[in-house]
């Protein structure tokens, strides 16, 4: 397996915690980990296998002119990535109890950009393990990546990540 690049944001919270757990399960020697803040499209070029992690803090914040969430800053870079030969996997932090109509929406927003660029995306997850009403991240009746709820389902995180990491390992170059 070629070296993996894990890019995540925001820093300092649950997204970072899960990014580090994913790195640990992949083995630190197999995966670099970097905040998405300060990352440019060209920084992804040294990796064929890329994991992108984001949280969802609501559409109004994502679109707000005032707030500058890390992923909001990176979003224009998505248009500049050289997608050929790269395999992507996504994970998203969210809360299906408090936000059941927008569960992990940002993972879907990022995922849909990747799909529009014809990027190869692996690590889709069955929705059966989650109770929610709607999500932008549901594509073809599956989550485009791995949803994690550290606010209420933290006791399930380790098992969910473990299962997902085993799947993506088989699908990475
Ligand atoms: C103001 C606010 C809005 C949120 N909106 C959503 C949402 O629309 N959908 C969702 O799934 N989670 C939502 N969440 C939950 C966060 O995604 C969740 O707490 C996540 O773990 C935060 O990640 P972080 O600790 O890395 O910032 C929201 C949280 C806050 C504080």
């Amino acid at each position: 397996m070629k070296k993996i690049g894990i890019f995540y944001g925001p820093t300092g919270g649950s997204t970072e915690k899960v990014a580090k757990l994913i790195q640990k399960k992949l083995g630190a020697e197999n995966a670099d980990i970097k905040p998405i803040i300060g990352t440019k499209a060209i920084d992804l070029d040294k990796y064929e296998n890329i994991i992108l992690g984001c949280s969802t803090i609501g559409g109004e914040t994502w679109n707000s002119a005032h707030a500058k969430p890390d992923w909001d800053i990176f979003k224009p870079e998505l248009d500049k990535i050289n997608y050929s030969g790269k395999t992507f996997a996504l994970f998203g932090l969210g809360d299906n109890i408090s936000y059941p109509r927008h569960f992990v929406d940002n993972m879907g927003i990022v995922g849909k950009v990747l799909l529009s660029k014809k990027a190869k995306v692996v690590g889709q997850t069955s929705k059966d393990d989650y109770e929610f009403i709607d999500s932008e991240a549901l594509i073809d009746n599956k989550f485009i990546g791995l949803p994690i709820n550290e606010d209420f389902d933290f006791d399930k995180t380790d098992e969910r990540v473990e299962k997902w990491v085993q799947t993506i390992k088989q699908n990475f170059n």
Side-chain angles (χ1 to χ4, degrees), residues 10 13-16 55-58 93-95 99 102-104 150-151:
S14 299
T15 311
E16 180 167 282
S55 69
T56 295
I57 48 170
L93 271 289
D95 174 3
Y99 306 92
H102 296 281
F103 183 42
V104 292
E150 270 288 287
D151 299 336

Side-chain angles (χ1 to χ4, degrees), residues 128-162:
D128 295 350
D129 191 27
Y130 304 86
E131 279 185 30
F132 64 102
I133 296 168
D134 203 2
S135 171
E136 284 276 342
L138 262 194
I139 293 164
D140 294 335
N141 218 26
K142 280 187 160 191
F143 286 109
I144 180 89
L146 174 71
I148 294 289
N149 181 348
E150 270 288 287
D151 299 336
F152 289 96
D153 273 353
F154 46 84
D155 53 329
K156 294 189 179 171
T157 297
D158 194 80
E159 191 186 333
R160 284 174 170 166
V161 170
E162 175 66 33

